Amino acid sequence: MNEFDNNIFKKLCIVSAPSGAGKTSLIKKISSNNKISVCISDTSREPRKGEIDGIDYKFISQDEFQTKIKKEQYLEHAMVHGNFYGTPIDSIVNLLEQDIVVILEIDFQGAEIIKKKFPLSRNIFILPPSMQILEKRLRERGTDKEEVIIERLENAKIELTKAKNYDYIIINDDFSTAEKQLLSYSLDTELTIAQKIRKEPLIHSDF
Ligand code: 5GP
């Protein structure tokens, strides 16, 4: 990676959130901006109803995943909720060199690895308004079994404690406000807004 101009990594923007916080819907909304491209991760988990291979994720087997790890084809990879997820290296650098902001929709473990490797990258954490609303959204989307919902709610408690390490925090209470914030923070490559905004109290009383 050292052969690249490090400044291109200012365009790399990580977005993390617990399951059900609305991250994917918000990212879908801002991805129509022609200055933004969203990286498609590989995962070893089964597709959910409605998910399309090559659009939502590249769905691959655990064996394929292991082979790609060995071949060093990931910028980072992690085990999340019992499945493998990874950010493929190919295409990212190419897009960054074209001055495109690349969004990585990844968990806090991946975010920590990327920030260490590329300190100029920026990261955004999306919080739900409360734990109760998170649970309600997870149940209403109707895509996961009860045990998966329970595991994701347990993991959310850990994930929420990581929000304070991020450059920007968005509370997804009103969707269109959160969408505007996500768009402006994603394009804030010089961290101008990050320096201006005072971070909200990070852990809500009911988290
Ligand atoms: P889901 O299964 O709900 O789509 O995603 C579960 C979690 O995995 C989310 O927190 C999501 O951000 C994270 N994730 C998705 N792709 C990647 C990736 O490439 N790397 C890492 N570290 N996490 C990922």
Side-chain angles (χ1 to χ4, degrees):
M1 282 282 146
N2 287 339
E3 72 236 54
F4 302 111
D5 170 5
N6 259 327
N7 265 323
I8 64 169
F9 292 102
K10 284 183 177 178
K11 300 266 167 187
L12 192 59
C13 184
I14 296 148
V15 182
S16 303
S19 288
K23 168 174 51 101
T24 305
S25 311
L26 285 165
I27 290 177
K28 268 205 182 114
K29 273 282 189 180
I30 67 158
S31 65
S32 57
N33 187 296
N34 62 7
K35 287 246 154 239
I36 293 176
S37 177
V38 183
C39 173
I40 300 168
S41 295
D42 286 357
T43 182
S44 66
R45 88 151 155 74
E46 291 295 314
R48 291 192 191 112
K49 206 168 156 239
E51 282 184 328
I52 301 169
D53 186 35
I55 293 194
D56 298 289
Y57 283 104
K58 269 182 104 181
F59 296 98
I60 63 173
S61 68
Q62 292 219 10
D63 285 350
E64 272 179 90
F65 207 103
Q66 292 301 340
T67 308
K68 290 180 94 170
I69 294 174
K70 278 195 200 118
K71 289 189 178 165
E72 299 186 356
Q73 291 180 350
Y74 293 119
L75 211 55
E76 63 72 42
H77 61 90
M79 168 80 89
V80 190
H81 315 311
N83 298 300
F84 287 112
Y85 295 83
T87 306
I89 295 174
D90 54 0
S91 84
I92 290 184
V93 170
N94 189 17
L95 285 167
L96 295 173
E97 282 176 343
Q98 290 175 56
D99 221 19
I100 305 273
V101 166
V102 178
I103 294 195
L104 305 184
E105 195 181 340
I106 64 179
D107 85 316
F108 69 88
Q109 304 170 79
E112 283 170 10
I113 296 169
I114 297 286
K115 194 72 172 179
K116 237 180 233 161
K117 275 194 188 167
F118 310 111
L120 290 179
S121 66
R122 294 160 301 113
N123 51 36
I124 302 170
F125 198 95
I126 301 174
L127 285 172
S130 71
M131 214 47 200
Q132 283 82 355
I133 292 177
L134 187 75
E135 180 166 355
K136 188 165 169 271
R137 287 180 184 168
L138 267 179
R139 291 191 186 287
E140 278 175 358
R141 77 182 184 187
T143 50
D144 296 306
K145 292 186 191 133
E146 182 61 20
E147 62 264 30
V148 174
I149 292 175
I150 289 169
E151 185 187 16
R152 286 179 179 237
L153 285 171
E154 277 309 306
N155 288 345
K157 290 180 194 154
I158 302 165
E159 289 164 345
L160 291 167
T161 65
K162 306 290 177 182
K164 62 181 183 304
N165 304 330
Y166 283 65
D167 298 313
Y168 313 81
I169 289 164
I170 294 172
I171 299 174
N172 184 14
D173 194 359
D174 174 63
F175 190 86
S176 77
T177 307
E179 180 193 334
K180 280 188 202 115
Q181 288 174 328
L182 184 61
L183 180 61
S184 60
Y185 299 169
S186 303
L187 298 173
D188 184 35
T189 54
E190 299 300 327
L191 285 159
T192 317
I193 305 173
Q195 281 150 12
K196 263 192 220 151
I197 53 174
R198 190 182 62 80
K199 286 182 181 171
E200 296 290 326
L202 299 179
I203 309 302
H204 280 209
S205 54
D206 58 347
F207 284 154

